């Protein structure tokens, strides 16, 4: 049965921390604007401050809808649901605020040495309502690990900026923003939303230098891409069919060569 609260009940704190992903829903004020729903992952990116305040670390991606919508009107809902254990859905309704990389608020919450590679902003929620319900239609799903493709991509972008900024005193000049750098990506790919709302405003011009991140490996087997090459998953049944087909081809070739019937 659905229940509503004015804040996050404390019994939900440990359950929220265990969840491997969540969804974020936002929308612009215009009636024909595009509603956005974004899936979020990566362990450690979601933080519960207290019963009425939460935030998450927003990692660089190809879109900037959430940042643009929250910047315009502050409306935001976060959805968690259980993939294992007892069924549960939790919606967190809040008034959102965006703190971009390089701003004092971002620095206070995420010093350079603690931010994840590609982190571009913090989305802070002042929570005013929380809803819980059953979630009986949600399937059981097994967690096998995190994809690292995004982290590898953002790692390469940050390393390009680090190399370009290393010999410079940014207090006396603008960031160089190399073509393959993260700050240039923010400037050209994260500047406006699909509806034309402002996205990243400060990060691309920040004089903060990135700290050289730890190298990121190619990822576990089963990730969709490993070392830049597509990993093909072939089931045992498909291997058997392929082997049978090749055996048939070889037998036919041998028959034609050594026992070639008349008239062929």
């Amino acid at each position: 049965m659905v229940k509503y609260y004015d804040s996050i009940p404390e019994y939900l704190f440990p359950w929220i921390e265990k969840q491997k992903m969540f969804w974020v829903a936002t929308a612009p004020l215009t009636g024909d604007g595009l509603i956005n729903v974004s899936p979020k992952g990566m362990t450690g990116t979601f933080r519960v401050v207290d019963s009425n305040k939460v935030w998450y670390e927003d990692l660089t991606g190809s879109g900037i809808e959430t940042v643009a919508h929250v910047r315009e009107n502050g409306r935001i809902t976060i959805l968690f649901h259980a993939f294992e254990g007892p069924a549960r859905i939790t919606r967190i309704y809040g008034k959102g605020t965006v703190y971009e990389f390089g701003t004092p608020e971002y620095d206070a919450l995420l010093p350079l040495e603690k931010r994840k590679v590609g982190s571009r902003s913090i989305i802070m929620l002042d929570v005013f309502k929380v809803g819980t319900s059953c979630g009986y239609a949600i399937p059981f799903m097994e967690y096998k690990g995190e994809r690292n493709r995004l982290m590898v991509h953002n790692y390469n972008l940050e390393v390009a900026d680090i190399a370009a900024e290393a010999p410079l005193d940014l207090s006396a000049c603008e960031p160089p923003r190399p073509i393959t750098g993260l700050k240039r990506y923010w400037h050209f790919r994260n500047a406006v939303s699909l509806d034309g709302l402002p996205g990243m405003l400060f990060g691309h011009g920040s004089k903060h230098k990135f700290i050289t991140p730890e190298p990121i490996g190619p990822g576990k087997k089963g990730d969709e891409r490993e070392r830049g090459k597509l990993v093909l998953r072939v089931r045992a049944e498909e291997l058997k069919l392929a082997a049978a087909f090749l055996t048939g081809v070889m037998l036919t070739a041998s028959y034609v060569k050594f026992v070639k019937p008349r008239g062929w």
Side-chain angles (χ1 to χ4, degrees):
M1 184 177 72
V2 65
K3 293 182 180 180
Y4 290 103
Y5 307 89
D6 294 328
S7 59
I8 305 172
E10 289 190 8
Y11 76 86
L12 286 177
F13 287 9
W15 178 80
I16 288 173
E17 291 176 357
K18 290 179 181 178
Q19 303 312 302
K20 301 301 183 183
M21 67 176 298
F22 55 96
W23 282 258
V24 178
T26 58
L29 290 177
T30 57
D32 58 351
L34 296 172
I35 298 171
N36 186 67
V37 180
S38 293
K40 303 292 181 180
M42 297 295 173
T43 299
T45 56
F46 191 88
R47 314 286 181 87
V48 177
V49 179
D50 56 42
S51 295
N52 288 102
K53 191 178 290 292
V54 300
W55 61 270
Y56 72 87
E57 187 174 3
D58 178 45
L59 305 181
T60 299
S62 57
I64 198 67
E65 302 305 293
T66 300
V67 168
H69 295 164
V70 170
R71 194 186 297 283
E72 182 204 36
N73 58 65
R75 299 181 303 174
I76 183 169
T77 299
I78 291 180
L79 169 72
F80 287 93
H81 65 69
F83 285 115
E84 56 186 17
R88 175 181 287 156
I89 290 175
T90 295
R91 293 179 178 87
I92 299 175
Y93 304 90
K95 180 74 172 179
T97 306
V98 179
Y99 299 130
E100 281 190 41
F101 173 86
T103 61
E105 296 86 354
Y106 179 100
D107 294 343
L109 292 167
L110 274 180
L112 287 173
E113 65 274 11
K114 291 186 177 181
R115 63 181 286 276
K116 288 189 179 295
V117 174
S119 174
R120 65 186 176 188
S121 69
I122 286 172
I123 307 297
M124 180 73 74
L125 274 75
D126 291 311
V127 179
F128 59 81
K129 185 181 287 293
V130 176
T132 61
S133 53
C134 61
Y136 291 146
I138 304 301
F140 286 105
M141 300 186 76
E142 181 183 359
Y143 174 75
K144 291 189 175 181
E146 293 179 347
R147 302 174 188 269
N148 75 342
R149 191 66 179 170
L150 177 65
M151 304 305 283
V152 170
H153 176 259
N154 289 338
Y155 171 88
N156 292 331
L157 294 177
E158 282 200 13
V159 168
D161 274 327
I162 290 169
E165 294 177 355
L168 303 177
D169 177 7
L170 293 186
S171 64
C173 66
E174 290 297 315
R177 292 202 290 265
I179 292 176
T180 57
L182 183 62
K183 290 179 181 178
R184 186 180 181 89
Y185 187 94
W186 289 342
H187 182 61
F188 286 99
R189 299 293 297 275
N190 290 167
V192 295
S193 72
L194 293 172
D195 294 307
L197 296 174
M200 294 286 286
L201 299 178
F202 313 110
H204 58 273
S206 172
K207 296 181 182 293
H208 283 37
K209 291 185 177 182
F210 299 124
I211 294 177
T212 304
E214 291 292 327
I216 298 175
K220 298 179 180 179
K221 283 187 176 181
D223 198 2
E224 63 225 341
R225 292 185 182 272
E226 190 170 295
R227 298 188 187 275
K229 296 181 180 179
L230 187 63
V231 177
L232 299 179
R233 300 184 181 90
V234 183
R235 295 177 300 192
E237 294 81 359
E238 293 169 334
L239 287 173
K240 290 177 182 178
L241 287 173
F245 175 76
L246 291 174
T247 300
V249 170
M250 288 187 291
L251 287 174
T252 301
S254 299
Y255 178 79
V256 170
K257 183 175 181 180
F258 298 108
V259 197
K260 184 177 179 180
R262 292 180 180 179
W264 279 37

